[in-house]
Amino acid sequence: MASKRPQTMAKPAREQAVKERRERKRARRAEAAAQRLAGSDPTAGEEHADPEEQADHEEPNTDTGPTESA
């Protein structure tokens, strides 16, 4: 007996698109992991920047509001 709602061509196309997106994401993650292991991560320099340079970019604390003390 046939199902009441036969599968349309759109559903397999959506499922295939999801599989392809997941595979591309896995590939990107694997490539990023390989770069981290090789020590050539392009974002590593941003996280481990010179502390003096970070101090230049930080905004001074101008909060003069009341403080709570317990």
Side-chain angles (χ1 to χ4, degrees):
M1 178 179 227
S3 64
K4 292 183 181 182
R5 294 185 183 175
Q7 188 178 45
T8 65
M9 292 305 293
K11 183 175 180 180
R14 285 191 310 267
E15 291 173 348
Q16 183 64 32
V18 167
K19 287 179 184 179
E20 290 172 358
R21 275 194 308 268
R22 288 177 179 163
E23 182 58 35
R24 286 192 301 267
K25 191 172 185 179
R26 280 189 202 109
R28 282 195 309 267
R29 287 180 174 177
E31 183 179 345
Q35 287 180 352
R36 279 193 305 273
L37 288 175
S40 63
D41 186 14
T43 60
E46 295 174 9
E47 294 176 358
H48 305 291
D50 187 18
E52 293 179 6
E53 289 182 11
Q54 287 179 355
D56 292 341
H57 297 292
E58 292 178 5
E59 295 181 16
N61 186 2
T62 58
D63 184 21
T64 58
T67 58
E68 296 180 24
S69 57

Coordinates of all heavy atoms in Angstrom, one line a residue:
M1 N 0.8 -1.2 0.0 CA 0.0 0.0 0.0 C 0.9 1.2 0.0 O 1.9 1.3 0.7 CB -0.9 0.0 1.2 CG -1.8 1.2 1.4 SD -2.8 1.0 2.8 CE -4.4 1.4 2.1
A2 N 0.5 2.2 -0.8 CA 1.3 3.4 -0.9 C 1.0 4.3 0.2 O -0.1 4.3 0.8 CB 1.0 4.1 -2.2
S3 N 2.0 5.1 0.6 CA 1.8 6.1 1.7 C 0.9 7.2 1.2 O 0.8 7.5 0.1 CB 3.2 6.6 2.1 OG 3.8 7.4 1.1
K4 N 0.3 7.9 2.2 CA -0.6 8.9 1.9 C 0.1 10.2 1.3 O -0.5 10.9 0.5 CB -1.4 9.3 3.1 CG -2.4 8.2 3.6 CD -3.2 8.7 4.8 CE -4.1 7.6 5.3 NZ -4.9 8.1 6.4
R5 N 1.3 10.4 1.8 CA 2.1 11.5 1.3 C 3.4 11.1 0.7 O 4.4 10.9 1.4 CB 2.4 12.5 2.5 CG 1.2 13.1 3.1 CD 1.5 14.1 4.1 NE 0.3 14.6 4.7 CZ 0.3 15.4 5.7 NH1 1.4 15.8 6.3 NH2 -0.8 15.9 6.2
P6 N 3.4 10.9 -0.6 CA 4.6 10.4 -1.2 C 5.7 11.5 -1.1 O 5.5 12.7 -1.1 CB 4.2 10.2 -2.7 CG 3.0 11.0 -2.9 CD 2.3 11.1 -1.6
Q7 N 6.9 11.0 -1.0 CA 8.1 11.9 -0.9 C 8.3 12.7 -2.1 O 8.3 12.2 -3.3 CB 9.3 11.0 -0.6 CG 10.5 11.8 -0.2 CD 11.7 10.9 0.0 OE1 12.0 10.0 -0.7 NE2 12.4 11.2 1.1
T8 N 8.4 14.0 -1.9 CA 8.6 14.9 -3.1 C 10.1 14.9 -3.4 O 11.0 14.4 -2.6 CB 8.2 16.3 -2.8 OG1 9.0 16.8 -1.7 CG2 6.7 16.3 -2.3
M9 N 10.4 15.5 -4.5 CA 11.8 15.6 -4.9 C 12.6 16.6 -4.1 O 13.8 16.6 -4.0 CB 11.9 16.0 -6.4 CG 11.5 14.8 -7.3 SD 12.3 13.3 -7.1 CE 13.9 13.7 -7.6
A10 N 11.8 17.5 -3.5 CA 12.4 18.6 -2.6 C 13.1 18.0 -1.4 O 14.1 18.5 -1.0 CB 11.4 19.6 -2.3
K11 N 12.5 17.0 -0.8 CA 13.0 16.4 0.4 C 14.4 15.8 0.2 O 15.3 16.1 1.0 CB 12.0 15.4 1.1 CG 12.5 14.9 2.4 CD 11.5 14.0 3.1 CE 12.0 13.5 4.4 NZ 11.1 12.6 5.1
P12 N 14.5 14.9 -0.8 CA 15.9 14.4 -1.0 C 16.9 15.4 -1.3 O 18.1 15.3 -0.9 CB 15.7 13.4 -2.1 CG 14.3 13.1 -2.3 CD 13.6 14.3 -1.6
A13 N 16.5 16.5 -2.0 CA 17.4 17.6 -2.4 C 17.8 18.3 -1.1 O 19.0 18.6 -0.9 CB 16.7 18.5 -3.3
R14 N 16.9 18.5 -0.2 CA 17.2 19.2 1.1 C 18.2 18.3 1.9 O 19.2 18.8 2.5 CB 16.0 19.5 1.9 CG 15.2 20.6 1.4 CD 14.1 21.0 2.4 NE 13.3 19.9 2.9 CZ 12.1 19.5 2.4 NH1 11.6 20.2 1.4 NH2 11.4 18.5 2.9
E15 N 17.9 17.0 2.0 CA 18.7 16.1 2.7 C 20.1 16.1 2.2 O 21.1 16.0 2.9 CB 18.1 14.7 2.7 CG 16.8 14.6 3.6 CD 16.1 13.3 3.4 OE1 16.5 12.5 2.6 OE2 15.2 13.0 4.2
Q16 N 20.3 16.1 0.8 CA 21.6 16.1 0.2 C 22.3 17.3 0.5 O 23.5 17.3 0.8 CB 21.4 15.9 -1.3 CG 22.7 15.8 -2.1 CD 23.6 14.6 -1.6 OE1 23.0 13.5 -1.3 NE2 24.9 14.7 -1.7
A17 N 21.6 18.5 0.5 CA 22.2 19.8 0.8 C 22.8 19.8 2.2 O 23.9 20.3 2.5 CB 21.2 20.9 0.6
V18 N 22.0 19.2 3.1 CA 22.4 19.2 4.5 C 23.7 18.3 4.7 O 24.7 18.7 5.3 CB 21.3 18.6 5.4 CG1 21.8 18.3 6.8 CG2 20.2 19.6 5.5
K19 N 23.7 17.2 4.0 CA 24.9 16.3 4.0 C 26.1 17.0 3.5 O 27.2 16.9 4.0 CB 24.6 15.0 3.2 CG 23.7 14.1 3.9 CD 23.4 12.8 3.1 CE 22.4 11.9 3.7 NZ 22.2 10.7 2.9
E20 N 25.9 17.7 2.4 CA 27.1 18.4 1.8 C 27.6 19.6 2.7 O 28.8 19.7 2.8 CB 26.7 19.0 0.4 CG 26.5 17.9 -0.6 CD 25.9 18.5 -1.9 OE1 25.6 19.7 -2.0 OE2 25.7 17.7 -2.8
R21 N 26.7 20.3 3.3 CA 27.1 21.3 4.3 C 27.8 20.7 5.4 O 28.9 21.3 5.9 CB 25.9 22.1 4.8 CG 25.4 23.2 3.9 CD 24.4 24.1 4.6 NE 23.3 23.5 5.3 CZ 22.1 23.2 4.7 NH1 21.9 23.6 3.5 NH2 21.2 22.6 5.4
R22 N 27.4 19.6 6.0 CA 28.1 19.0 7.1 C 29.4 18.5 6.7 O 30.4 18.6 7.5 CB 27.2 17.8 7.6 CG 26.0 18.2 8.4 CD 25.2 17.0 8.8 NE 24.0 17.5 9.5 CZ 23.0 16.7 9.8 NH1 22.9 15.5 9.4 NH2 21.9 17.2 10.5
E23 N 29.6 18.0 5.5 CA 30.9 17.5 5.0 C 31.8 18.7 4.8 O 33.0 18.6 5.2 CB 30.7 16.8 3.7 CG 32.0 16.2 3.2 CD 32.7 15.2 4.1 OE1 32.0 14.5 4.8 OE2 33.9 15.2 4.2
R24 N 31.3 19.8 4.3 CA 32.2 21.0 4.1 C 32.6 21.5 5.5 O 33.8 21.9 5.7 CB 31.5 22.1 3.4 CG 31.4 21.8 1.9 CD 30.9 23.0 1.1 NE 29.6 23.6 1.6 CZ 28.5 23.2 1.0 NH1 28.4 22.4 0.0 NH2 27.4 23.8 1.5
K25 N 31.7 21.5 6.5 CA 32.1 21.9 7.8 C 33.1 21.0 8.5 O 34.1 21.5 9.1 CB 30.8 22.0 8.7 CG 30.9 22.7 10.0 CD 29.6 22.8 10.7 CE 29.7 23.6 11.9 NZ 28.4 23.8 12.6
R26 N 33.0 19.7 8.3 CA 34.0 18.8 8.8 C 35.3 19.0 8.2 O 36.4 19.0 8.9 CB 33.5 17.3 8.5 CG 32.5 16.8 9.5 CD 32.3 15.3 9.3 NE 31.0 14.9 9.8 CZ 30.0 14.6 9.1 NH1 30.1 14.5 7.7 NH2 28.8 14.3 9.6
A27 N 35.3 19.3 6.9 CA 36.6 19.6 6.2 C 37.3 20.8 6.7 O 38.5 20.9 6.9 CB 36.4 19.7 4.7
R28 N 36.5 21.9 6.9 CA 37.0 23.1 7.5 C 37.6 22.9 8.9 O 38.7 23.4 9.2 CB 35.9 24.2 7.5 CG 35.6 24.9 6.2 CD 34.9 26.2 6.4 NE 33.7 26.0 7.2 CZ 32.4 25.8 6.8 NH1 32.2 25.6 5.5 NH2 31.5 25.7 7.7
R29 N 36.9 22.2 9.7 CA 37.3 21.9 11.0 C 38.6 21.1 11.0 O 39.5 21.3 11.8 CB 36.3 21.2 11.9 CG 35.1 22.1 12.2 CD 34.1 21.4 13.0 NE 33.1 22.3 13.5 CZ 32.0 21.9 14.2 NH1 31.8 20.6 14.5 NH2 31.1 22.7 14.6
A30 N 38.7 20.1 10.1 CA 39.9 19.3 10.0 C 41.1 20.1 9.6 O 42.2 20.0 10.1 CB 39.6 18.1 9.1
E31 N 40.8 21.0 8.6 CA 41.9 21.9 8.1 C 42.4 22.8 9.2 O 43.6 23.0 9.4 CB 41.4 22.7 6.9 CG 42.5 23.5 6.3 CD 42.0 24.3 5.1 OE1 40.9 24.0 4.6 OE2 42.7 25.3 4.7
A32 N 41.4 23.4 10.0 CA 41.8 24.3 11.1 C 42.6 23.5 12.2 O 43.6 24.0 12.7 CB 40.6 24.9 11.7
A33 N 42.2 22.3 12.5 CA 42.9 21.5 13.4 C 44.3 21.2 13.0 O 45.3 21.2 13.7 CB 42.2 20.2 13.7
A34 N 44.5 20.9 11.7 CA 45.8 20.6 11.1 C 46.7 21.8 11.2 O 47.9 21.8 11.5 CB 45.7 20.1 9.7
Q35 N 46.1 23.0 10.9 CA 46.9 24.3 11.0 C 47.3 24.5 12.5 O 48.4 25.0 12.7 CB 46.1 25.4 10.5 CG 46.0 25.4 9.0 CD 45.1 26.6 8.5 OE1 44.6 27.3 9.3 NE2 45.1 26.7 7.2
R36 N 46.4 24.3 13.4 CA 46.7 24.5 14.8 C 47.9 23.5 15.2 O 48.8 23.9 15.9 CB 45.5 24.2 15.7 CG 44.6 25.4 15.8 CD 43.6 25.2 16.9 NE 42.9 23.9 16.9 CZ 41.7 23.8 16.2 NH1 41.2 24.8 15.5 NH2 41.1 22.6 16.2
L37 N 47.8 22.3 14.8 CA 48.9 21.3 15.1 C 50.2 21.8 14.5 O 51.3 21.6 15.0 CB 48.5 19.9 14.6 CG 47.4 19.2 15.5 CD1 47.1 17.9 14.8 CD2 47.9 19.0 16.9
A38 N 50.1 22.4 13.3 CA 51.3 22.8 12.6 C 51.8 24.1 13.2 O 53.0 24.5 12.9 CB 51.1 22.9 11.1
G39 N 51.0 24.8 13.9 CA 51.4 26.0 14.6 C 51.3 27.2 13.7 O 51.9 28.3 13.9
S40 N 50.5 27.1 12.6 CA 50.3 28.3 11.7 C 48.9 28.7 11.7 O 48.4 29.1 10.7 CB 50.8 27.9 10.3 OG 49.9 26.8 9.8
D41 N 48.3 28.8 12.9 CA 46.9 29.2 13.0 C 46.8 30.7 12.8 O 47.5 31.5 13.5 CB 46.3 28.8 14.3 CG 44.9 29.1 14.5 OD1 44.2 29.4 13.4 OD2 44.3 29.1 15.6
P42 N 46.1 31.2 11.8 CA 46.1 32.7 11.5 C 45.5 33.5 12.7 O 45.8 34.6 12.9 CB 45.3 32.8 10.2 CG 44.5 31.5 10.1 CD 45.3 30.5 10.8
T43 N 44.6 32.8 13.5 CA 43.9 33.6 14.6 C 44.7 33.5 15.9 O 44.4 34.1 16.8 CB 42.5 33.1 14.8 OG1 42.6 31.7 15.2 CG2 41.6 33.3 13.6
A44 N 45.8 32.7 15.9 CA 46.6 32.5 17.1 C 47.2 33.8 17.5 O 47.3 34.1 18.7 CB 47.6 31.4 17.0
G45 N 47.7 34.6 16.6 CA 48.3 35.8 16.9 C 47.4 36.8 17.5 O 47.8 37.7 18.3
E46 N 46.1 36.8 17.2 CA 45.2 37.7 17.8 C 44.9 37.4 19.2 O 44.8 38.3 20.0 CB 43.9 37.6 17.0 CG 44.0 38.1 15.5 CD 42.7 37.9 14.8 OE1 41.7 37.5 15.4 OE2 42.8 38.0 13.5
E47 N 44.8 36.2 19.6 CA 44.5 35.8 20.9 C 45.8 36.0 21.9 O 45.6 36.3 23.0 CB 44.1 34.3 21.0 CG 42.8 34.1 20.3 CD 42.5 32.6 20.3 OE1 43.3 31.8 20.8 OE2 41.4 32.2 19.8
H48 N 46.9 35.9 21.3 CA 48.1 35.9 22.1 C 48.9 37.2 21.8 O 50.2 37.1 21.7 CB 49.0 34.7 21.9 CG 48.2 33.4 22.2 ND1 47.8 33.1 23.5 CD2 47.8 32.4 21.4 CE1 47.2 31.9 23.4 NE2 47.1 31.5 22.1
A49 N 48.2 38.3 21.7 CA 48.9 39.5 21.3 C 49.7 40.1 22.5 O 49.6 39.7 23.6 CB 47.9 40.6 20.8
D50 N 50.6 41.0 22.2 CA 51.5 41.6 23.2 C 50.6 42.3 24.2 O 49.7 43.1 23.9 CB 52.4 42.6 22.5 CG 53.4 43.2 23.4 OD1 53.7 42.6 24.5 OD2 54.0 44.2 23.1
P51 N 50.8 42.1 25.5 CA 50.0 42.7 26.6 C 50.0 44.3 26.5 O 49.0 44.9 26.8 CB 50.6 42.2 27.9 CG 51.4 41.0 27.5 CD 51.7 41.2 26.1
E52 N 51.1 44.8 26.1 CA 51.2 46.3 26.0 C 50.2 46.8 24.9 O 49.6 47.8 25.0 CB 52.6 46.7 25.7 CG 53.5 46.5 26.9 CD 54.9 46.9 26.6 OE1 55.2 47.5 25.6 OE2 55.8 46.6 27.5
E53 N 50.2 46.0 23.8 CA 49.3 46.4 22.7 C 47.8 46.3 23.1 O 47.0 47.1 22.8 CB 49.5 45.6 21.5 CG 50.8 45.9 20.8 CD 51.0 45.0 19.5 OE1 50.0 44.4 19.1 OE2 52.1 45.1 19.0
Q54 N 47.5 45.3 23.9 CA 46.2 45.1 24.4 C 45.8 46.3 25.3 O 44.7 46.8 25.3 CB 46.0 43.8 25.2 CG 46.0 42.6 24.2 CD 45.9 41.3 25.0 OE1 45.9 41.3 26.2 NE2 45.8 40.2 24.3
A55 N 46.7 46.8 26.1 CA 46.4 47.9 27.1 C 46.1 49.1 26.3 O 45.3 50.0 26.7 CB 47.6 48.1 28.0
D56 N 46.8 49.3 25.1 CA 46.5 50.5 24.3 C 45.1 50.5 23.7 O 44.5 51.5 23.5 CB 47.6 50.6 23.2 CG 49.0 50.9 23.7 OD1 49.1 51.4 24.8 OD2 49.9 50.6 22.9
H57 N 44.6 49.3 23.5 CA 43.3 49.2 22.8 C 42.1 49.1 23.8 O 41.0 49.3 23.4 CB 43.3 48.0 21.9 CG 44.2 48.0 20.8 ND1 44.1 48.9 19.8 CD2 45.4 47.4 20.5 CE1 45.1 48.8 18.9 NE2 45.9 47.9 19.4
E58 N 42.4 48.9 25.1 CA 41.4 48.8 26.1 C 40.9 50.2 26.4 O 41.6 51.2 26.5 CB 41.9 48.1 27.3 CG 42.2 46.7 27.1 CD 42.7 46.0 28.4 OE1 42.7 46.7 29.4 OE2 43.0 44.8 28.3
E59 N 39.6 50.3 26.7 CA 39.0 51.6 27.1 C 39.2 51.8 28.6 O 39.1 50.8 29.3 CB 37.5 51.6 26.8 CG 37.2 51.6 25.3 CD 35.8 51.7 25.0 OE1 35.0 52.0 25.9 OE2 35.4 51.3 23.8
P60 N 39.5 53.0 29.0 CA 39.7 53.2 30.5 C 38.4 53.0 31.2 O 37.3 53.2 30.7 CB 40.2 54.6 30.6 CG 39.7 55.3 29.3 CD 39.7 54.2 28.3
N61 N 38.4 52.6 32.4 CA 37.3 52.3 33.2 C 36.8 53.7 33.8 O 37.4 54.3 34.6 CB 37.6 51.4 34.4 CG 36.3 51.0 35.2 OD1 35.2 51.4 34.8 ND2 36.5 50.2 36.2
T62 N 35.6 54.1 33.2 CA 35.1 55.4 33.6 C 33.8 55.3 34.4 O 33.0 56.2 34.6 CB 34.8 56.3 32.4 OG1 33.9 55.6 31.5 CG2 36.1 56.6 31.6
D63 N 33.6 54.1 34.9 CA 32.4 53.8 35.7 C 32.5 54.5 37.1 O 33.4 54.1 37.9 CB 32.2 52.3 35.9 CG 30.9 52.0 36.6 OD1 30.0 52.9 36.6 OD2 30.8 50.9 37.2
T64 N 31.8 55.6 37.3 CA 31.8 56.3 38.6 C 30.5 56.1 39.4 O 30.3 56.9 40.3 CB 32.1 57.8 38.4 OG1 31.1 58.3 37.5 CG2 33.5 58.0 37.7
G65 N 29.8 55.1 39.0 CA 28.5 54.9 39.7 C 28.7 54.3 41.1 O 29.8 54.0 41.5
P66 N 27.6 54.2 41.8 CA 27.7 53.7 43.2 C 28.0 52.2 43.2 O 27.7 51.5 42.3 CB 26.3 53.9 43.7 CG 25.4 54.0 42.5 CD 26.2 54.6 41.4
T67 N 28.8 51.8 44.2 CA 29.2 50.4 44.3 C 28.4 49.8 45.5 O 28.1 50.5 46.5 CB 30.7 50.3 44.5 OG1 31.0 51.0 45.7 CG2 31.4 50.8 43.3
E68 N 28.1 48.5 45.3 CA 27.4 47.8 46.4 C 28.4 47.1 47.2 O 29.4 46.5 46.7 CB 26.4 46.8 45.8 CG 25.3 47.5 45.0 CD 24.3 46.5 44.5 OE1 24.3 45.4 45.1 OE2 23.7 46.7 43.5
S69 N 28.3 47.2 48.5 CA 29.2 46.4 49.4 C 28.3 45.6 50.4 O 27.3 46.1 50.9 CB 30.1 47.3 50.2 OG 29.4 48.3 50.9
A70 N 28.7 44.4 50.6 CA 27.9 43.5 51.4 C 28.5 43.3 52.8 O 29.6 43.5 53.0 CB 27.8 42.1 50.7

